[in-house]
Amino acid sequence: MSSNAVVAERIWFAVAPDGTEHEVVVSVALPTKTDRGEWRCVALVGGLEDRSHAIAGIDSWQAIGLAMRFAASRLSHFSEGGWQFYWERGGELATPQDLADVS
């Protein structure tokens, strides 16, 4: 992910459209303040993407919330492509909305 500590992480089991099975680790790093005064959180959808994404907010609270929603939107993209997500192997179906609902 980065040198930043992880502040939130969720591990799901996934089945790709071709039937292969994957562990998906969705994580958000501790927010850091930039020289320009904005806050950034690094979001990663490990197991599906190698690339991490720096998500900016006006404060740390917003940066964390936006990073979590961003991760959900990435999973939604994969879901639309035929991926299925589960809370755990053999468990109940999970949806990207489950990640976006941070209330």
Side-chain angles (χ1 to χ4, degrees):
M1 171 175 262
S2 75
S3 61
N4 296 343
V6 172
V7 70
E9 179 179 88
R10 176 154 287 161
I11 300 173
W12 277 357
F13 175 73
V15 178
D18 66 4
T20 58
E21 299 177 345
H22 304 264
E23 180 179 80
V24 177
V25 180
V26 183
S27 54
V28 173
L30 191 66
T32 57
K33 194 169 187 178
T34 69
D35 293 340
R36 296 184 309 197
E38 67 186 5
W39 287 81
R40 290 184 182 258
C41 276
V42 174
L44 178 65
V45 183
L48 299 180
E49 300 181 314
D50 293 329
R51 179 177 185 261
S52 61
H53 305 271
I55 309 301
I58 59 170
D59 57 24
S60 60
W61 188 277
Q62 185 186 48
I64 290 170
L66 291 174
M68 292 176 80
R69 285 182 197 74
F70 177 83
S73 74
R74 294 302 303 140
L75 285 174
S76 182
H77 168 77
F78 282 93
S79 181
E80 291 168 4
W83 284 76
Q84 293 182 322
F85 300 101
Y86 300 87
W87 289 101
E88 59 190 3
R89 182 185 302 269
E92 292 184 33
L93 195 62
T95 68
Q97 182 59 34
D98 292 324
L99 288 179
D101 184 15
V102 294
S103 57

